[in-house]
Amino acid sequence: MKTFQYVIKDELGIHARPAGQLVKLLKEYASTVTIAKGDKKVEAIRLMAVMGLGVKHGDTVTIEVEGPDEKYACEAVEKFFQENL
């Protein structure tokens, strides 16, 4: 399993546009990706669950990637967060 933490820099937090783009990106990988904020943890491929986390600007999230292509999936997700959130 690969994990990383990220502090949200987008002024709107994780909102509909980047959440949708993230879901689209994750469909390219076989690994399971979860996003955790505090004690809440959801599968990142579930758009409404990600939106339900209520991640705001300045919040720290923990991303976990587990599966057969976790190395590549984690790199792609980390790059996505840096470029979009």
Side-chain angles (χ1 to χ4, degrees), residues 2-6 61-65 74 77-78 81:
K2 304 268 186 194
T3 64
F4 68 92
Q5 289 191 323
Y6 186 79
V61 292
T62 302
I63 292 85
E64 295 180 354
V65 184
C74 188
V77 171
E78 193 164 7
F81 268 74

Side-chain angles (χ1 to χ4, degrees), residues 38-65:
D39 60 349
K40 290 183 181 178
K41 184 176 179 179
V42 300
E43 286 187 46
I45 201 151
R46 296 180 54 222
L47 179 63
M48 296 310 291
V50 172
M51 299 291 296
L53 283 175
V55 179
K56 308 273 188 247
H57 173 77
D59 287 349
T60 299
V61 292
T62 302
I63 292 85
E64 295 180 354
V65 184

Side-chain angles (χ1 to χ4, degrees), residues 9-55:
K9 295 173 181 64
D10 189 301
E11 291 296 323
L12 301 173
I14 298 181
H15 52 96
R17 183 187 50 77
Q21 292 172 331
L22 178 60
V23 168
K24 185 177 178 182
L25 171 69
L26 294 178
K27 289 182 180 181
E28 299 175 18
Y29 298 96
S31 295
T32 301
V33 178
T34 58
I35 300 176
K37 176 190 165 199
D39 60 349
K40 290 183 181 178
K41 184 176 179 179
V42 300
E43 286 187 46
I45 201 151
R46 296 180 54 222
L47 179 63
M48 296 310 291
V50 172
M51 299 291 296
L53 283 175
V55 179

